[in-house]
Amino acid sequence: MNPEPQALAAMQSSPAQAFQAVPDRHGSNLYTTDSQLQPLLALYLPPEVNAHLQPHLERMGALAGREIDEWALTADRNPPELEHRDRTGRDAQRIVKHPAYVEMERIAYGEFGLAVMSHRTGVLGWDGKLPPLAKYALTYLFVQAEFGLCCPLSMTDSLARTLRKYGEPVLVEKYWPRMTQLRFEDQAQGAMFMTEQAAGSDISNTQTLARPAADGSWRLSGDKWFCSNPDADFAMVLARVEGAPAGMKGISLFLLPRRLDDGSANHYRIVRLKHKLGTRSMASGEIVLDGAVAYLVGEQGRGFVQMADMVNNSRLSNGVRSAGLMRRAVAEAEYVARERRAFGKALQDMPLMQRQLDKLRIYSEQARTMVLQTAQALQRSDAGEDGAYALLRILTPMIKFRACRDARKVTGDAMEVRGGCGYIEEWSDPRLVRDSHLGSIWEGTSNIVALDVIRAIKREGSLPVLRDHAAQLLAQTEAATDFKAALSASMDKASALALRAAEEGGDRLARAAASGLYHCFTATAMAWEASCTGSAERMRWAQLVLLHRVLPRDPLAAGDLPEGWTR
């Protein structure tokens, strides 16, 4: 018996009417759609630099929103492979990268010069060296699509900086030109080989040995357990000089070229590549050094002190990358909440969703502010400004510790907004979640980096400098008197806790102290930014940072902002 025509029509139309495509933000420009980034860059960058960068930021935003995002998904699904011989049977070890990954390298290294921007003039057509924030702003956009490649970019950048700072002039003269080429085809990539099975975070237990050679070079022998970008043209390596004393004083820093002067391969092998939770697009491997030719960098026996400069730059880069991941995750959640309807409403109009999005935003915006503040401190430090190094020295581990941990939560919670589709690998959400766990592990786990915040307080006198900087920002902030008083009082309490953590036996307080300083400082800096840019939204987020992440509150209370903060 055939159904009635009206019933048949209803059956045919009902699925179409009920169907609602999953909101897809792919193709958006990640710069022009970011309402906060543009006014903040105008605040932090010199006007002429900001104006010059605008077309490049728009170009990067467009690429990250479409092509780089597509390449990143492809490269994540097709990780690099290690080949030990060529097809003729010759020993010719190489890592084969997917063409999608190479295209991303071409954009990051070649078109935008992200690895050389801080070391030479003429990048992006700028007559001079661009400030660090230019590099980090572009990286902040790039990493919203591709995280893995940003590790080699950072190491290449940091290696060049460390060589220039500590290397003998003859060594710099020999290798510097290759490290700072503008053309992608001519550029050398960098890496750092520190991690060993016996050492881990305890660098003083490094077992790799260095023996002097007659020609003034050194020969390295030993195993390096976790080496990202293992086929890089150059690597900074920590090794113990044969006969040197035990402990950190026996560790020296060496430059290891992949190829010798005659073009032959240096004497080390990549044993295998790692199968990682995230950053699958980028190769990480294990390396055996068998009398590899290397060159001493800086003073013998001060290897870790010198390597720390490279590590700290990598830590800052980790913070930038985590900030970018959070921004991408939050932007995706906001888009879904705006476009998706349920129970007759857009998700963003539902009070509970509004509350959850706000919680995600404050983590993300704290990290963004720390990127801006730390990049500014780096520029001032490199210029030799009084107190700037001490400020940089504490801001760097602060962002590495807190932003990298926050990214794990934000990416996971933001994925939930998309629902079941957010769990599917066709979307960016799972990749963001997987990649987010890297930041709090590489270049120092959370405990190590929290202790480094305390070390900056004890060795560099960084706490008074941080407090003075926060006080200057607060003095320039137009906000409710009660809120400013709360910011000031909270910074006092966080500083008191940090001083306790710096006392003998206070290590157990390091994480709480580092978090407290991060939250209080970012709330203050965000309020200053809001005041300078006229953003009521940013001021509210600054208030929420203090309310949700600093002040004691009753978990069974409504948790509204104090009335005095908004008057």
Side-chain angles (χ1 to χ4, degrees):
M1 186 174 179
N2 293 329
E4 294 293 327
Q6 288 181 335
L8 181 61
M11 290 170 60
Q12 292 173 337
S13 63
S14 179
Q17 291 171 351
F19 175 76
Q20 183 183 5
V22 178
D24 189 352
R25 186 168 165 262
H26 181 70
S28 298
N29 187 308
L30 304 190
Y31 178 64
T32 59
T33 57
D34 188 342
S35 62
Q36 291 290 318
L37 184 55
Q38 297 173 59
L40 287 173
L41 291 180
L43 174 63
Y44 280 90
L45 285 170
E48 63 278 8
V49 175
N50 186 51
H52 181 82
L53 284 177
Q54 288 308 304
H56 303 291
L57 291 162
E58 291 179 14
R59 164 80 172 151
M60 180 66 88
L63 286 169
R66 186 179 294 277
E67 288 89 348
I68 298 175
D69 202 38
E70 293 169 358
W71 293 328
L73 178 61
T74 300
D76 187 71
R77 290 173 172 172
N78 298 274
E81 296 180 353
L82 175 62
E83 291 185 352
H84 294 281
R85 293 183 172 186
D86 65 18
R87 66 182 184 179
T88 69
R90 184 181 58 178
D91 186 359
Q93 196 174 61
R94 69 176 186 137
I95 293 176
V96 181
K97 305 171 184 176
H98 192 275
Y101 185 85
V102 177
E103 285 301 315
M104 292 190 292
E105 285 185 310
R106 193 177 302 278
I107 293 294
Y109 281 97
E111 180 175 342
F112 286 91
L114 294 179
V116 301
M117 185 177 290
S118 295
H119 309 295
R120 60 166 299 156
T121 63
V123 178
L124 298 181
W126 181 253
D127 185 18
K129 289 183 183 178
L130 285 162
L133 182 52
K135 171 180 62 184
Y136 292 129
L138 289 163
T139 302
Y140 181 79
L141 294 169
F142 183 90
V143 76
Q144 291 182 45
E146 163 60 13
F147 189 97
L149 176 57
C150 288
C151 180
L153 280 169
S154 169
M155 291 191 296
T156 303
D157 175 26
S158 300
L159 185 147
R161 177 186 174 93
T162 301
L163 178 64
R164 187 77 168 186
K165 188 172 182 177
Y166 296 110
E168 291 292 331
V170 64
L171 196 62
V172 175
E173 183 179 348
K174 182 177 182 179
Y175 292 117
W176 181 261
R178 278 205 62 204
M179 294 179 183
T180 55
Q181 289 293 322
L182 280 177
R183 290 183 70 247
F184 170 66
E185 292 77 11
D186 300 328
Q187 286 180 348
Q189 294 191 21
M192 56 180 173
F193 301 163
M194 290 195 301
T195 308
E196 299 183 11
Q197 291 191 61
S201 297
D202 185 4
I203 300 299
S204 66
N205 203 30
T206 294
Q207 302 298 309
T208 296
L209 284 180
R211 298 180 177 90
D215 62 359
S217 64
W218 294 75
R219 300 294 182 268
L220 305 185
S221 299
D223 286 12
K224 292 295 182 179
W225 178 243
F226 205 111
C227 305
S228 288
N229 210 25
D231 63 338
D233 299 279
F234 299 97
M236 286 291 184
V237 184
L238 289 178
R240 181 177 303 282
V241 172
E242 190 173 39
M248 207 69 88
K249 291 183 179 179
I251 307 300
S252 296
L253 180 63
F254 298 88
L255 179 69
L256 176 76
R258 180 71 170 145
R259 294 278 168 186
L260 301 177
D261 290 346
D262 62 4
S264 63
N266 204 345
H267 309 298
Y268 66 92
R269 296 187 61 78
I270 305 168
V271 179
R272 64 169 178 166
L273 298 185
K274 302 286 193 181
H275 297 285
K276 297 170 292 182
L277 171 69
T279 63
R280 295 174 179 173
S281 63
M282 182 268 300
S284 299
E286 300 165 25
I287 285 179
V288 172
L289 301 148
D290 187 16
V293 177
Y295 302 92
L296 181 68
V297 175
E299 184 180 344
Q300 186 175 320
R302 290 181 57 81
F304 183 71
V305 173
Q306 293 154 177
M307 182 66 127
D309 191 69
M310 185 172 180
V311 170
N312 281 331
N313 272 275
S314 294
R315 285 177 174 174
L316 172 52
S317 178
N318 263 307
V320 174
R321 285 177 262 165
S322 292
L325 285 186
M326 283 191 273
R327 168 59 198 166
R328 174 68 187 274
V330 172
E332 291 291 324
E334 289 174 333
Y335 183 83
V336 172
R338 184 173 69 247
E339 299 296 326
R340 187 76 166 175
R341 299 185 65 82
F343 311 110
K345 292 182 179 180
L347 298 186
Q348 68 175 8
D349 294 332
M350 298 178 178
L352 193 55
M353 178 60 75
Q354 292 170 351
R355 183 180 177 88
Q356 295 310 112
L357 288 175
D358 266 342
K359 287 185 176 181
L360 296 179
R361 289 180 185 120
I362 62 174
Y363 288 83
S364 176
E365 295 303 327
Q366 282 181 274
R368 192 200 309 249
T369 290
M370 279 296 287
V371 169
L372 298 165
Q373 286 286 328
T374 311
Q376 189 178 66
L378 175 59
Q379 183 178 358
R380 291 173 52 208
S381 177
D382 284 349
E385 287 189 29
D386 186 42
Y389 174 74
L391 180 61
L392 174 67
R393 184 63 186 81
I394 194 169
L395 290 181
T396 298
M398 280 168 60
I399 188 174
K400 168 65 166 72
F401 169 64
R402 193 66 262 167
C404 292
R405 291 190 62 79
D406 287 349
R408 290 156 45 174
K409 174 178 174 57
V410 169
T411 54
D413 288 358
M415 179 171 66
E416 187 179 343
V417 177
R418 183 169 268 126
C421 285
Y423 197 66
I424 306 304
E425 292 282 356
E426 292 173 315
W427 299 88
S428 62
D429 309 73
R431 193 169 75 250
L432 295 176
V433 171
R434 289 189 280 103
D435 288 349
S436 70
H437 284 72
L438 175 146
S440 58
I441 297 175
W442 290 9
E443 276 74 76
T445 57
S446 297
N447 283 354
I448 295 296
V449 181
L451 288 168
D452 198 40
V453 173
I454 307 306
R455 191 175 298 111
I457 292 172
K458 291 195 284 189
R459 295 184 181 177
E460 309 297 340
S462 293
L463 186 58
V465 177
L466 178 68
R467 294 189 67 180
D468 287 347
H469 182 54
Q472 290 172 17
L473 294 176
L474 190 58
Q476 300 167 19
T477 300
E478 293 184 8
T481 302
D482 286 359
F483 177 49
K484 291 182 68 173
L487 286 170
S488 180
S490 295
M491 193 68 191
D492 288 345
K493 287 191 69 174
S495 299
L497 180 62
L499 287 174
R500 286 184 60 194
E503 293 173 354
E504 186 71 27
D507 284 0
R508 64 185 179 85
L509 300 173
R511 290 172 73 115
S515 291
L517 290 175
Y518 178 89
H519 297 324
C520 293
F521 176 73
T522 53
T524 300
M526 287 171 67
W528 171 78
E529 292 166 344
S531 176
C532 293
T533 61
S535 173
E537 190 174 38
R538 196 160 197 80
M539 185 66 74
R540 185 174 67 86
W541 292 337
Q543 292 166 344
L544 290 177
V545 170
L546 206 60
L547 182 67
H548 288 288
R549 309 204 73 185
V550 178
L551 297 181
R553 47 193 290 265
D554 183 352
L556 302 181
D560 296 326
L561 290 172
E563 288 187 11
W565 286 13
T566 57
R567 289 202 297 255

